[in-house]
Amino acid sequence: MKFFFWVCIVVALLALGAWLYLLRTPLPEIETLEPTVKGDVLLTAQPTDPFKGERSAPVTVILVSSFGCPACKGAAVVADQLLASFPNEVKIVRKDLPESTGTSYFAAIAARCAQQQGRFWQYHDILFSRQDELSNFLLYSAWARELGLDMERFDACFDGQQTKALVDINIREGLAAELSSVPYFQINDSQAFSGNVTLGTLREMVQLELDSGI
Protein backbone atom coordinates (compact mmCIF):
# COMPACT_ATOMS: atom_id res chain seq x y z
CA MET A 1 0.00 0.00 0.00
CA LYS A 2 2.80 2.42 0.88
CA PHE A 3 4.50 1.72 -2.43
CA PHE A 4 1.28 2.44 -4.33
CA PHE A 5 0.82 5.64 -2.32
CA TRP A 6 4.29 6.96 -3.25
CA VAL A 7 3.78 6.03 -6.90
CA CYS A 8 0.62 8.14 -6.93
CA ILE A 9 2.49 11.05 -5.35
CA VAL A 10 5.29 10.88 -7.93
CA VAL A 11 2.80 10.74 -10.83
CA ALA A 12 0.90 13.71 -9.44
CA LEU A 13 4.12 15.76 -9.07
CA LEU A 14 5.16 14.93 -12.63
CA ALA A 15 1.77 15.99 -13.97
CA LEU A 16 1.95 19.24 -11.98
CA GLY A 17 5.44 19.94 -13.32
CA ALA A 18 4.35 19.35 -16.91
CA TRP A 19 1.36 21.67 -16.44
CA LEU A 20 3.55 24.45 -15.02
CA TYR A 21 6.03 24.01 -17.89
CA LEU A 22 3.26 24.44 -20.45
CA LEU A 23 2.11 27.61 -18.72
CA ARG A 24 5.62 29.07 -19.04
CA THR A 25 6.10 27.98 -22.66
CA PRO A 26 4.61 30.40 -25.23
CA LEU A 27 2.51 28.82 -27.94
CA PRO A 28 3.95 29.06 -31.46
CA GLU A 29 2.47 31.70 -33.70
CA ILE A 30 0.10 30.31 -36.31
CA GLU A 31 0.62 31.57 -39.84
CA THR A 32 -2.51 33.19 -41.21
CA LEU A 33 -3.56 33.78 -44.77
CA GLU A 34 -5.73 36.76 -43.88
CA PRO A 35 -5.04 39.64 -46.28
CA THR A 36 -2.38 42.07 -45.11
CA VAL A 37 -2.23 45.59 -46.49
CA LYS A 38 1.22 46.47 -47.78
CA GLY A 39 2.74 49.91 -47.71
CA ASP A 40 5.62 50.48 -50.13
CA VAL A 41 4.80 49.12 -53.57
CA LEU A 42 7.90 48.38 -55.61
CA LEU A 43 6.76 46.04 -58.36
CA THR A 44 6.42 47.07 -61.99
CA ALA A 45 5.11 45.12 -64.96
CA GLN A 46 7.92 44.02 -67.26
CA PRO A 47 7.54 43.40 -71.02
CA THR A 48 8.49 39.76 -70.45
CA ASP A 49 5.82 39.17 -67.78
CA PRO A 50 2.82 37.16 -69.04
CA PHE A 51 -0.44 39.10 -68.93
CA LYS A 52 -4.09 38.78 -69.88
CA GLY A 53 -6.59 41.52 -70.63
CA GLU A 54 -6.30 44.71 -72.62
CA ARG A 55 -2.67 45.80 -73.01
CA SER A 56 -3.67 49.45 -72.56
CA ALA A 57 -6.09 48.85 -69.65
CA PRO A 58 -6.03 51.71 -67.10
CA VAL A 59 -5.68 49.34 -64.12
CA THR A 60 -2.80 46.88 -63.91
CA VAL A 61 -3.19 44.13 -61.33
CA ILE A 62 0.08 42.33 -60.62
CA LEU A 63 -0.33 38.86 -59.16
CA VAL A 64 2.78 37.33 -57.59
CA SER A 65 2.28 33.61 -57.31
CA SER A 66 3.80 30.14 -57.13
CA PHE A 67 2.58 26.97 -58.80
CA GLY A 68 3.26 24.96 -55.64
CA CYS A 69 1.16 27.20 -53.40
CA PRO A 70 -2.42 25.97 -52.72
CA ALA A 71 -3.66 29.49 -51.92
CA CYS A 72 -2.22 30.72 -55.23
CA LYS A 73 -4.47 28.30 -57.08
CA GLY A 74 -7.47 30.07 -55.58
CA ALA A 75 -5.93 33.48 -56.26
CA ALA A 76 -5.66 32.61 -59.97
CA VAL A 77 -9.40 31.90 -60.04
CA VAL A 78 -10.13 35.21 -58.29
CA ALA A 79 -7.91 37.04 -60.80
CA ASP A 80 -9.91 35.54 -63.69
CA GLN A 81 -13.16 36.57 -62.02
CA LEU A 82 -11.83 40.09 -61.56
CA LEU A 83 -10.89 40.28 -65.24
CA ALA A 84 -14.39 39.08 -66.18
CA SER A 85 -15.83 41.91 -64.05
CA PHE A 86 -13.63 44.55 -65.73
CA PRO A 87 -12.81 43.12 -69.18
CA ASN A 88 -11.75 46.47 -70.67
CA GLU A 89 -10.38 48.20 -67.56
CA VAL A 90 -8.08 45.58 -66.01
CA LYS A 91 -4.91 43.84 -67.10
CA ILE A 92 -3.64 40.91 -65.03
CA VAL A 93 0.16 40.58 -64.94
CA ARG A 94 1.70 37.48 -63.37
CA LYS A 95 5.08 37.25 -61.66
CA ASP A 96 6.73 34.11 -60.28
CA LEU A 97 7.90 33.76 -56.70
CA PRO A 98 8.43 30.03 -56.12
CA GLU A 99 8.93 28.78 -52.56
CA SER A 100 12.33 27.32 -53.36
CA THR A 101 14.52 26.12 -56.19
CA GLY A 102 12.65 22.83 -56.19
CA THR A 103 9.33 21.80 -57.74
CA SER A 104 7.74 25.25 -57.94
CA TYR A 105 10.87 26.71 -59.51
CA PHE A 106 10.96 24.17 -62.34
CA ALA A 107 7.20 24.49 -62.86
CA ALA A 108 7.72 28.22 -63.40
CA ILE A 109 10.49 27.53 -65.92
CA ALA A 110 8.23 25.10 -67.80
CA ALA A 111 5.39 27.63 -67.92
CA ARG A 112 7.74 30.23 -69.37
CA CYS A 113 8.78 27.68 -72.02
CA ALA A 114 5.10 27.41 -72.94
CA GLN A 115 5.00 31.22 -73.00
CA GLN A 116 7.59 31.15 -75.78
CA GLN A 117 4.96 29.42 -77.92
CA GLY A 118 2.11 31.69 -76.85
CA ARG A 119 0.48 29.17 -74.50
CA PHE A 120 1.51 30.40 -71.05
CA TRP A 121 -1.97 30.69 -69.57
CA GLN A 122 -3.10 27.30 -70.84
CA TYR A 123 -0.01 25.66 -69.33
CA HIS A 124 -0.47 27.76 -66.18
CA ASP A 125 -3.97 26.29 -65.76
CA ILE A 126 -2.69 22.73 -66.22
CA LEU A 127 0.01 23.21 -63.57
CA PHE A 128 -2.53 24.43 -61.03
CA SER A 129 -5.07 21.72 -61.88
CA ARG A 130 -2.41 19.04 -61.34
CA GLN A 131 -0.62 20.64 -58.44
CA ASP A 132 -0.08 17.33 -56.65
CA GLU A 133 1.90 15.97 -59.64
CA LEU A 134 4.40 18.82 -60.02
CA SER A 135 7.27 16.78 -58.61
CA ASN A 136 7.10 14.41 -61.57
CA PHE A 137 9.11 16.36 -64.14
CA LEU A 138 8.46 13.69 -66.80
CA LEU A 139 4.86 14.92 -66.96
CA TYR A 140 5.86 18.42 -68.00
CA SER A 141 6.46 17.30 -71.59
CA ALA A 142 3.21 15.33 -71.58
CA TRP A 143 1.27 18.45 -70.59
CA ALA A 144 3.01 20.45 -73.32
CA ARG A 145 1.99 17.75 -75.80
CA GLU A 146 -1.62 18.06 -74.62
CA LEU A 147 -1.52 21.70 -75.68
CA GLY A 148 -0.10 20.83 -79.08
CA LEU A 149 3.20 22.61 -78.49
CA ASP A 150 6.28 22.06 -80.62
CA MET A 151 7.79 19.32 -78.47
CA GLU A 152 11.33 19.58 -79.77
CA ARG A 153 11.32 23.28 -78.96
CA PHE A 154 9.64 22.82 -75.56
CA ASP A 155 11.94 20.01 -74.44
CA ALA A 156 15.03 21.93 -75.50
CA CYS A 157 13.78 24.94 -73.55
CA PHE A 158 12.90 23.03 -70.39
CA ASP A 159 15.89 20.67 -70.38
CA GLY A 160 18.25 23.58 -71.03
CA GLN A 161 16.41 25.86 -68.57
CA GLN A 162 16.34 28.53 -71.25
CA THR A 163 13.69 30.56 -69.39
CA LYS A 164 15.42 30.36 -66.01
CA ALA A 165 16.55 34.00 -66.29
CA LEU A 166 12.93 35.19 -66.61
CA VAL A 167 11.95 33.39 -63.39
CA ASP A 168 15.06 34.66 -61.60
CA ILE A 169 14.20 38.25 -62.55
CA ASN A 170 10.81 37.88 -60.88
CA ILE A 171 12.39 36.34 -57.79
CA ARG A 172 14.83 39.23 -57.47
CA GLU A 173 11.94 41.69 -57.82
CA GLY A 174 9.99 39.92 -55.09
CA LEU A 175 12.98 39.87 -52.75
CA ALA A 176 13.68 43.55 -53.42
CA ALA A 177 10.05 44.32 -52.54
CA GLU A 178 10.51 42.26 -49.34
CA LEU A 179 7.63 39.95 -50.20
CA SER A 180 7.49 37.17 -47.66
CA SER A 181 4.40 35.31 -48.85
CA VAL A 182 2.25 34.57 -51.86
CA PRO A 183 -0.27 35.15 -53.31
CA TYR A 184 0.35 38.89 -53.51
CA PHE A 185 -1.86 41.35 -55.38
CA GLN A 186 -0.81 44.86 -56.38
CA ILE A 187 -3.30 47.28 -57.92
CA ASN A 188 -1.48 49.91 -60.00
CA ASP A 189 1.00 51.63 -57.69
CA SER A 190 -1.43 52.43 -54.88
CA GLN A 191 -2.70 49.28 -53.14
CA ALA A 192 -1.21 45.88 -52.43
CA PHE A 193 -2.32 42.88 -50.39
CA SER A 194 -0.86 39.50 -49.51
CA GLY A 195 -2.83 36.47 -48.43
CA ASN A 196 -6.36 35.40 -49.34
CA VAL A 197 -7.87 38.51 -50.90
CA THR A 198 -11.53 38.26 -51.84
CA LEU A 199 -13.00 39.17 -55.20
CA GLY A 200 -15.08 41.84 -53.46
CA THR A 201 -12.00 43.54 -52.03
CA LEU A 202 -10.24 43.54 -55.39
CA ARG A 203 -13.33 44.93 -57.12
CA GLU A 204 -13.47 47.77 -54.62
CA MET A 205 -9.79 48.58 -55.14
CA VAL A 206 -10.13 48.57 -58.91
CA GLN A 207 -13.22 50.76 -58.74
CA LEU A 208 -11.36 53.23 -56.53
CA GLU A 209 -8.64 53.41 -59.17
CA LEU A 210 -11.19 54.00 -61.91
CA ASP A 211 -13.06 56.61 -59.88
CA SER A 212 -9.85 58.50 -59.19
CA GLY A 213 -9.59 59.23 -62.90
CA ILE A 214 -6.19 57.63 -63.33
Side-chain angles (χ1 to χ4, degrees), residues 5-82:
F5 172 77
W6 285 112
V7 168
C8 291
I9 293 295
V10 170
V11 170
L13 289 174
L14 288 174
L16 178 61
W19 181 72
L20 291 174
Y21 174 78
L22 289 174
L23 285 180
R24 295 195 306 269
T25 305
L27 293 175
E29 293 184 4
I30 299 174
E31 183 180 355
T32 176
L33 287 174
E34 289 299 313
T36 303
V37 180
K38 299 293 182 179
D40 298 329
V41 177
L42 304 174
L43 298 175
T44 56
Q46 304 294 334
T48 54
D49 291 331
F51 76 92
K52 58 172 64 176
E54 294 292 331
R55 184 180 294 274
S56 58
V59 179
T60 296
V61 176
I62 295 177
L63 170 57
V64 184
S65 182
S66 168
F67 290 112
C69 155
C72 294
K73 181 177 180 178
V77 174
V78 171
D80 284 342
Q81 293 171 338
L82 181 68

Side-chain angles (χ1 to χ4, degrees), residues 64-180:
V64 184
S65 182
S66 168
F67 290 112
C69 155
C72 294
K73 181 177 180 178
V77 174
V78 171
D80 284 342
Q81 293 171 338
L82 181 68
L83 185 59
S85 300
F86 300 93
N88 300 311
E89 297 85 9
V90 165
K91 174 174 67 176
I92 305 292
V93 175
R94 188 186 187 279
K95 291 182 181 288
D96 293 298
L97 190 60
E99 294 90 336
S100 67
T101 56
T103 297
S104 302
Y105 185 74
F106 288 104
I109 290 174
R112 292 306 191 97
C113 288
Q115 182 187 7
Q116 288 187 340
Q117 299 189 46
R119 306 303 295 274
F120 172 84
W121 292 105
Q122 294 87 342
Y123 200 88
H124 161 283
D125 292 346
I126 287 178
L127 290 174
F128 273 131
S129 67
R130 301 174 189 180
Q131 207 169 44
D132 58 343
E133 299 177 88
L134 294 184
S135 60
N136 187 348
F137 296 151
L138 296 178
L139 292 175
Y140 287 31
S141 289
W143 298 334
R145 188 174 290 106
E146 283 183 27
L147 296 176
L149 299 185
D150 180 328
M151 293 309 303
E152 184 176 350
R153 185 179 171 192
F154 178 87
D155 288 341
C157 175
F158 183 63
D159 294 342
Q161 298 186 29
Q162 294 174 7
T163 54
K164 176 181 182 295
L166 296 176
V167 178
D168 291 344
I169 287 172
N170 281 176
I171 292 174
R172 286 196 295 270
E173 288 179 298
L175 295 176
E178 298 182 350
L179 302 189
S180 58

